[in-house]
């Protein structure tokens, strides 16, 4: 996700201005925005050449030549979806816009097609008992339950590896031998895997105090019972662009009150809202942390990730949310496990072919 500030233009900029930006940068594109940063369109060398052939000169404005209906993506669009959009539309750059339509970056096809390797560690919390999934978990740890013909944890490892995150630590506890025997050192999955053994269950953050060495870079922490198609590269870039100490992936959750809600003031009824829908953002169990966060995790104690975030907020650290709009499913109950198996092929087959 390339920084876009250097390639922004207003619609009253000249063709000469656009040429300077396009020739100066490696992105070979400029984005046209209004005064508040909302995307109006894009302009490329091809657009300029066609305009000149039609009689325009370099001091004319770009108002009538820039492309006003560009293909755009959101920050959480997956790598595979972006590549597909580029192929379908025969384009090599796609602006990234936020939920309001402001342009926040540009994705470049060549960059997506290049194999990348990131130094950032991935810490997977895979020691849970999975009591709500019994009897399925009586002999199998929850992350090793098969969805789509392979363990949930297998898919998680593949997803991180596909984005170039190959340095993985698994925090294990319940039936850890099964996990270690399946993954080994990770070489057959194209990753390197180490294990941290929790002698007692330590919560979603407590095991971080057991890491053999402190990460040098921002690092992911993720629960091992999730299936998601989130773009991990974009999440890292979002975290870094915000200079955050901690980033939490959040998911919008709708809840419909099954009754008419009565709003009262004293004894007087002011209004009645029939079965209103309440919307919340909920914790999606995927995090990015700076190494300094480890200073707040108590040694050898049960400690949950929400508690760590609350402490960071109290200390006035930069704590941000990354809205997740791609596929996400927390496999905590039998019905969610069954749903995951029904949806798996549609969501993940295409990405695993790349």
């Amino acid at each position: 996700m390339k920084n876009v500030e250097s390639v922004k233009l207003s619609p009253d900029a000249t063709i000469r201005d656009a040429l300077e930006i396009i020739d100066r940068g490696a992105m070979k594109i400029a984005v046209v925005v209004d005064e508040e940063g909302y995307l109006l369109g894009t302009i490329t060398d091809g657009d300029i050449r066609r305009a000149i052939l039609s009689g325009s000169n370099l001091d004319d404005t770009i108002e009538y030549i820039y492309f006003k209906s560009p293909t755009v993506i959101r920050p959480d669009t997956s790598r595979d979806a972006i590549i597909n959009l580029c192929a379908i539309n025969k384009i090599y750059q796609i602006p990234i816009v936020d939920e309001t339509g402001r342009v926040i970056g540009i994705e470049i096809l060549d960059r997506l097609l290049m194999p990348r390797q990131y130094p950032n560690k991935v810490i997977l919390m895979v020691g849970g008992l999975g009591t709500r999934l019994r009897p399925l978990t009586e002999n199998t740890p929850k992350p090793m339950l098969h969805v789509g013909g392979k363990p949930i944890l297998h898919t998680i490892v593949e997803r991180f590896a596909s984005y170039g995150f190959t340095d993985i630590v698994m925090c294990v506890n319940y039936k850890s031998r099964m996990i270690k025997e399946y993954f080994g050192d990770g070489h057959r999955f194209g990753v390197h895997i180490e294990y941290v053994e929790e002698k007692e269950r330590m919560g979603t953050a407590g095991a971080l105090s057991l890491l053999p060495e402190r990460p040098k870079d921002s690092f992911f922490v993720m629960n091992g019972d999730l299936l998601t198609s989130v773009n991990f590269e974009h999440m890292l870039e979002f975290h870094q662009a915000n200079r955050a100490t901690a980033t939490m992936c959040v998911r919008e959750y709708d809840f419909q009150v099954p009754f008419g809600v009565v709003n009262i003031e004293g004894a007087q009824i002011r209004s009645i809202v029939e079965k209103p829908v309440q919307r919340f953002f909920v914790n999606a169990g995927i995090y990015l942390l700076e190494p300094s966060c480890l200073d707040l995790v108590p040694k050898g104690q049960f400690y949950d990730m929400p508690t760590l975030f609350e402490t960071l907020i109290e200390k006035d650290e930069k704590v941000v949310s990354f809205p997740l709009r791609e596929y996400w499913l927390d496999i905590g109950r039998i019905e969610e496990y069954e749903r995951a198996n029904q949806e798996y092929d549609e969501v993940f087959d295409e990405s695993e072919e790349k």
Side-chain angles (χ1 to χ4, degrees):
M1 185 163 60
K2 296 291 186 180
N3 188 297
V4 76
E5 292 302 319
S6 63
V7 296
K8 285 182 177 178
L9 282 172
S10 66
D12 58 358
T14 66
I15 294 176
R16 191 187 306 276
D17 295 332
L19 269 177
E20 288 178 0
I21 284 180
I22 292 169
D23 290 342
R24 186 173 65 228
M27 289 183 265
K28 306 303 179 187
I29 192 173
V31 292
V32 185
V33 298
D34 66 12
E35 293 179 353
E36 296 182 348
Y38 291 100
L39 181 66
L40 299 176
T42 59
I43 186 166
T44 65
D45 179 73
D47 296 321
I48 292 172
R49 290 179 188 276
R50 284 188 289 273
I52 291 174
L53 289 172
S54 298
S56 297
N57 65 65
L58 296 183
D59 293 318
D60 289 340
T61 70
I62 62 171
E63 184 175 2
Y64 299 106
I65 70 169
Y66 72 85
F67 183 52
K68 297 176 175 62
S69 302
T71 300
V72 299
I73 56 174
R74 300 294 284 274
D76 54 1
T77 305
S78 71
R79 176 199 294 261
D80 303 310
I82 298 169
I83 292 173
N84 287 338
L85 280 171
C86 287
I88 291 168
N89 293 284
K90 295 182 173 60
I91 54 179
Y92 298 92
Q93 311 94 348
I94 301 185
I96 304 166
V97 298
D98 64 16
E99 63 275 7
T100 69
R102 288 186 174 90
V103 60
I104 58 174
I106 293 179
E107 194 61 90
I108 309 296
L109 178 61
D110 287 348
R111 188 186 77 91
L112 291 171
L113 296 176
M114 290 174 58
R116 302 198 68 186
Q117 195 84 3
Y118 289 94
N120 309 81
K121 282 187 179 293
V122 176
I123 317 296
L124 299 177
M125 298 298 178
V126 295
L129 298 176
T131 53
R132 292 180 298 165
L133 279 166
R134 287 177 180 167
L136 298 178
T137 52
E138 286 180 355
N139 298 308
T140 305
K142 180 165 61 169
M144 296 300 291
L145 292 177
H146 279 224
V147 174
K150 66 182 77 171
I152 298 166
L153 191 53
H154 185 147
T155 297
I156 293 173
V157 169
E158 283 185 334
R159 294 294 297 174
F160 273 107
S162 73
Y163 286 104
F165 300 101
T166 58
D167 189 357
I168 295 174
V169 178
M170 295 185 181
C171 299
V172 296
N173 177 258
Y174 178 64
K175 297 191 179 297
S176 61
R177 183 177 175 180
M178 291 184 66
I179 296 174
K180 292 178 178 179
E181 287 179 349
Y182 185 91
F183 288 98
D185 63 6
H187 74 275
R188 72 185 182 97
F189 303 93
V191 300
H192 171 70
I193 298 177
E194 296 179 273
Y195 300 92
V196 169
E197 190 83 42
E198 299 179 48
K199 300 303 181 184
E200 299 177 358
R201 292 185 62 243
M202 301 184 66
T204 51
L208 295 177
S209 70
L210 305 177
L211 293 177
E213 60 181 37
R214 186 186 184 97
K216 297 177 182 177
D217 305 285
S218 312
F219 62 95
F220 288 91
V221 181
M222 178 170 168
N223 298 343
D225 56 359
L226 303 176
L227 284 177
T228 180
S229 58
V230 64
N231 186 320
F232 294 114
E233 275 184 305
H234 284 177
M235 186 176 175
L236 176 63
E237 290 164 350
F238 181 89
H239 173 83
Q240 293 172 335
N242 282 278
R243 300 186 178 182
T245 302
T247 298
M248 175 187 291
C249 212
V250 297
R251 181 79 174 178
E252 192 171 50
Y253 177 79
D254 294 347
F255 171 74
Q256 185 168 31
V257 179
F259 310 102
V261 172
V262 181
N263 297 312
I264 62 174
E265 199 174 292
Q268 188 168 351
I269 295 175
R270 291 299 184 186
S271 65
I272 301 173
V273 182
E274 189 62 31
K275 298 181 180 179
V277 175
Q278 302 289 327
R279 289 184 170 84
F280 309 92
F281 280 109
V282 299
N283 181 356
I286 310 168
Y287 316 92
L288 262 166
L289 304 176
E290 290 302 299
S292 60
C293 293
L294 296 174
D295 297 333
L296 302 175
V297 179
K299 300 289 184 183
Q301 296 181 28
F302 187 94
Y303 196 68
D304 268 331
M305 194 64 74
T307 306
L308 174 59
F309 271 74
E310 288 169 1
T311 302
L312 289 166
I313 293 167
E314 289 172 2
K315 291 182 173 293
D316 204 27
E317 295 285 350
K318 186 75 176 289
V319 178
V320 302
S321 61
F322 182 77
L324 173 62
R325 293 179 177 84
E326 292 290 344
Y327 183 84
W328 176 89
L329 184 62
D330 178 359
I331 305 172
R333 297 174 297 178
I334 295 291
E335 53 266 38
E336 289 154 350
Y337 175 71
E338 293 172 347
R339 176 183 162 192
N341 272 293
Q342 293 168 359
E343 298 173 343
Y344 187 91
D345 288 347
E346 181 182 348
V347 176
F348 294 104
D349 263 9
E350 189 174 281
S351 62
E352 288 169 3
E353 291 171 358
K354 70 177 193 150

